[in-house]
Amino acid sequence: MIGLISATAAGAAARDRLAAAWADRTRVYEGPVQDAVRTAFAQCEQLVCFLATGAVVRLVAPLLSGKTEDPGVVCVDEGGRFAVSLLGGHAGGANELAREVGDLLGAEPVVTTATDAVDLAGLDTLGLPVEGDVAGVSRALLDGEAVALRAEVAWPLPPLPVAEEGSYTIRLTDRLVAAAERQAVLRPPTLVVGVGASKGAPVEEVLGLVEDALRDAGLSVASVAELATVDAKAEEAGIVEAARRLGVPLVTYSAGELAGVDVPNPSDAPLAAVGTPSVAEAAALVGGGELLVPKRKSAASPAMATCAVVRRPGRGRLAVVGLGPGARDLLTPRAKAELRRASVLVGLDQYVDQIRDLLRPGTRILESGLGAEEERARTAVEEARTGQAVALIGSGDAGVYAMASPALAEASDDIDVVGVPGVTAALAAGAILGAPLGHDHVSISLSDLHTPWEVIERRVRAAAEADIVVTFYNPRSRGRDWQLPKALGILAEHRTPRTPVGVVRNASRPDESSRLTTLGALDPATVDMMTVVTVGNTATRDIAGRMVTPRGYRWQSAQEGSE
């Protein structure tokens, strides 16, 4: 929960804007400011104070406990010009909160955390538990000192300026080790603990068994990714509560799924009870991996719980990112976050140039020219398979005439794949033209480079006969000058010459141009590959110079009746 505190009418106005936008995330604290700050500080994970930074410093100073316990605090000035990350920049999430507040209120986020100031990924912002000399290692990275990365398990990390050897070390491990001097230890979630339990098994027995098994095997509980069991035990209180206390999800599988997993220690008892010869080992091994702790029973008599521990294979991460139509303000926050997370970027050279300034220092860039889509897809997947965090970029939405299809055709289930949607050219053009896509619509590429013209023509005819609004991608090039006239002719068999047609070139870019014409008046020679052409249906109208397709045909009937 985010506590909101203000002292003046101007502050209250901005406060109420946040409260309205984030109704499910915020709580307004009224009354005397000192009391409001004290109460919110105790009750909330984060605070936004519409007060002077000096005043907030004096108010929170007596309340401070430590960087891992204190909430993140952001200050916004009375004029709404700045959102200052004052306290808990990383641990409390104040840096990101300042950026969110800034986006919503139009304020400039002010972040003074050293790693953020030089665009370096902070060790405590990687989403992994971290311990040891975090401050010392971070300072060494900032100072350009040699910091070595010892990765004992594979895990995708953002770009870090690390070396093979150094006086400081980042150790990536799931082993139960204490951080040495000048060392920070990152704990990746690589361990899966399979659990089985008799009905009524107490949580203390289940949790104690898991913790003992991990400790005896020299494994860190901080690297447990999930507890896994058979679905018949999904509501078993001892297992459910053990997962809650460990702060990990409980994942369940059917008895049939578990029965198909080859395990070293099957048993007749679980087979008779829940329909599978193994629960703990099989649940841990469903996703593959190395069995580090075979089935082990709890020490109670009679034993009511079993567990097994598996280290899952290291998995790389591939984010397929849509950059939108070109304008920076149409690039989504999620896309920006994925670009900053990636240690490897793969993309068309002209698209890389669009977002190069958003990448963290040290990001490895693999760029190529037009016509190398399949090569880029293979490269991105291969890099992810080495355990890297990879971003594969495309214009518009990466799943629409872009890189998602070839990438997913190459990828198997040995890597994690994340799709990041983007604003398509059709949507950007539609917003410029008015509302041409208000009813059913379709996008068709007129490029026959990958699709035979016979197939394209059949699709155009289907759209024409179905009276669907059509947006043409790749409408015309020097070597393909007849496809657009042919497609327009097909549509003209079913639509009048007065049918509105929108033509938008370089939507959202500095040299954007657009015009509204008709099916009978459009000159195909004025169209090129940087253009999208949207042809209305029989209900589409030109209203005050805007292209509008109604949501229903009753509107069309009313219009025709009034003509």
Side-chain angles (χ1 to χ4, degrees), residues 380-518:
V381 171
E382 289 168 2
E383 289 289 337
R385 284 183 175 139
T386 67
Q388 301 291 328
V390 181
L392 175 63
I393 59 174
S395 67
D397 183 284
V400 179
Y401 303 124
M403 294 305 302
S405 294
L408 296 188
E410 293 286 338
S412 53
D413 62 359
D414 57 346
I415 61 174
D416 294 323
V417 179
V418 177
V420 182
V423 178
T424 66
L427 296 178
I432 294 165
L433 295 170
L437 309 182
H439 206 291
D440 296 336
H441 55 274
V442 63
S443 295
I444 298 177
S445 171
L446 294 183
S447 171
D448 54 3
L449 181 62
H450 299 289
T451 305
W453 173 253
E454 293 75 16
V455 175
I456 297 172
E457 182 174 339
R458 187 166 64 247
R459 292 170 180 172
V460 174
R461 289 192 180 279
E465 293 171 2
D467 196 29
I468 295 176
V469 175
V470 182
T471 296
F472 289 121
Y473 280 68
N474 306 313
R476 184 177 181 274
S477 67
R478 291 179 182 176
R480 293 186 302 101
D481 59 0
W482 60 268
Q483 286 91 339
L484 178 59
K486 178 68 173 177
L488 294 175
I490 294 170
L491 292 177
E493 296 173 11
H494 300 269
R495 302 177 195 184
T496 72
R498 295 184 301 163
T499 301
V501 175
V503 180
V504 180
R505 188 176 191 279
N506 284 332
S508 87
R509 300 187 183 186
D511 56 346
E512 167 192 299
S513 64
S514 65
R515 68 184 188 278
L516 187 57
T517 182
T518 64

Side-chain angles (χ1 to χ4, degrees), residues 9-28:
R15 176 203 68 192
D16 292 344
R17 286 176 60 192
L18 281 188
W22 298 341
D24 58 341
R25 300 175 58 192
T26 58
R27 175 181 173 185
V28 173

